Amino acid sequence: MSLVIPAIIIAYTLVNSATSGKSSSAKSPAFSLPINVINLEKDTTRWERLVIDLADKGVTPSAVQRLPAVYGKTLLKEELEAKTTKKARLWCTPGMIGCYLSHVKFWNKVASEESPYQLVLEDDAMVCDDFEKRAQQMVDDLQDNPETKDTWDVLLLGAFSCVHPEKKYGQYRFQAWLLGDGRRQRRVSSNIQIPHRPLGTHAYILSKRGAEKLLRRASKATWHVDCVIWGLPEMNLYLCDPMLVFQDTESPSTVGAVTKGVETRLPKWKMDEYTGASFEWAMNEPFLKIPMLNVVLSIGRYISLFLVGVITAILLNGQIPGWVLPSHVVLSIGFAVTFARYMKRPQALAAGEDLIEATTAVMADVAGTKTTPRATPHGVSVGV
């Protein structure tokens, strides 16, 4: 099996070279950026599928580089202490930690190599036709724009959550409020926009400048990598529209999501056509790992516990104190917001300070007050 992919790459390169020679011997490659694919060594099927798909979509095989992913379950105690925060070791699944550190590996590669920017794909990415050409056009668009030339840090080629160009956020509005750090969404060109609060790390182009920022601010695994880094106000972040890459939400997640049992029988209908996220995939993503018990509390499980509490309180109306239902609602939502804002902070402060600040932010929202936004080149609003 190990000989199959090299053979495919060599054959495709020869055919592609012959075809190019017939049309124009002086034609240069359309895409000069290295394409890095994050892939676990044990997941050879995913790697082979993506390499074949990239070749079918016109990607030059020599541009594709495999970046071995970090397998969270095999990390030694010393490695965990050096590369993760205490809260990550307490509340995150090994898959969440491995995913985060795999992207840190990519950031280090970008920061240390000569190329001014590089592209990364996760191995469940699905790219569009003419991917090379269109991705290069997006980079050229940024470089030709006086507002973004040599100042952009990251270009998302695909994303989830509050990214719809017409601000049709729907159910994602709560998610954005939960995390905070939303940007003022606007277009900078016909094909490039500043997204409100994106999620997803399945496809992006990172500049050396952006890589250095991420390494300075977020080099230790903290929580879900996208929840942490795409909320950093100092990141000059953009999203192409239309998006060039989607995530295969039909395939099992590798970040510690629920992949067995009755929960995988949830409907797979698309939550929205623009991003392509499926309901079953979203509900089974991990929210946290319960310490000591090593039980994953997925997003779906957390919502289910909330709904069970609400329904129980309604059915027992008149038999329990009237304050039970509103208290359950406030505590459930308050914990989710406080926990999310605590976990997505990239740098740990003194013991308890992160949680205190997150709790203060929640109380300000409940009281209807707003935190003072910090001015950035993006117009990023820190807070909700």
Side-chain angles (χ1 to χ4, degrees), residues 162 172-181 196-197 333-334 337 341 362 365-366 383-384:
C162 291
Y172 297 126
R173 291 184 184 277
F174 177 77
Q175 190 176 60
W177 175 76
L178 186 77
L179 293 170
D181 294 336
H196 176 49
R197 194 29 167 120
I333 296 177
V337 176
R341 296 191 181 188
V362 173
D365 291 330
V366 172
V384 178

Side-chain angles (χ1 to χ4, degrees), residues 5-21 51 55 59-64:
I5 298 304
I8 293 174
I9 293 176
I10 292 171
Y12 183 86
T13 303
L14 291 173
V15 172
N16 188 60
S17 298
T19 305
S20 300
V51 167
V59 175
T60 305
S62 59
V64 182

Side-chain angles (χ1 to χ4, degrees), residues 41-62:
E41 291 184 356
K42 66 184 185 69
D43 288 340
T44 55
T45 302
R46 287 191 178 214
W47 164 245
E48 292 164 3
R49 179 204 66 79
L50 184 56
V51 167
I52 293 172
D53 184 51
L54 289 172
D56 288 341
K57 299 297 175 58
V59 175
T60 305
S62 59

Side-chain angles (χ1 to χ4, degrees), residues 46-104:
R46 287 191 178 214
W47 164 245
E48 292 164 3
R49 179 204 66 79
L50 184 56
V51 167
I52 293 172
D53 184 51
L54 289 172
D56 288 341
K57 299 297 175 58
V59 175
T60 305
S62 59
V64 182
Q65 303 176 15
R66 183 172 176 275
L67 187 65
V70 176
Y71 192 36
K73 290 183 178 180
T74 62
L75 290 172
L76 301 176
K77 180 181 178 181
E78 294 76 14
E79 291 179 291
L80 286 170
E81 291 179 349
K83 298 177 180 179
T84 68
T85 60
K86 289 183 179 179
K87 57 188 178 184
R89 298 194 292 274
L90 185 65
W91 298 101
C92 292
T93 66
M96 291 164 67
I97 291 174
C99 177
Y100 196 114
L101 294 180
S102 297
H103 283 274
V104 173

Side-chain angles (χ1 to χ4, degrees), residues 220-292:
K220 284 192 173 184
T222 303
W223 194 35
H224 286 290
V225 60
D226 53 345
C227 294
V228 176
I229 62 176
W230 300 154
L232 294 176
E234 62 266 42
M235 292 297 293
N236 295 325
L237 181 148
Y238 301 89
L239 170 68
C240 64
D241 173 49
M243 295 191 293
L244 307 185
V245 186
F246 294 89
Q247 192 160 19
D248 181 9
T249 59
E250 299 295 322
S251 62
S253 172
T254 59
V255 296
V258 178
T259 57
K260 297 179 181 179
V262 67
E263 289 160 287
T264 61
R265 299 180 183 273
L266 291 170
K268 297 182 182 293
W269 49 265
K270 299 295 183 184
M271 296 179 66
D272 73 290
E273 291 298 326
Y274 186 72
T275 67
S278 76
F279 178 77
E280 183 268 335
W281 175 83
M283 290 299 101
N284 287 326
E285 285 294 288
F287 180 53
L288 59 88
K289 177 196 71 177
I290 301 175
M292 306 301 290

Side-chain angles (χ1 to χ4, degrees), residues 33 40 124 147 191 195 270 291 354:
L33 297 181
L40 286 167
D124 56 355
E147 179 183 350
N191 294 313
K270 299 295 183 184
D354 278 346

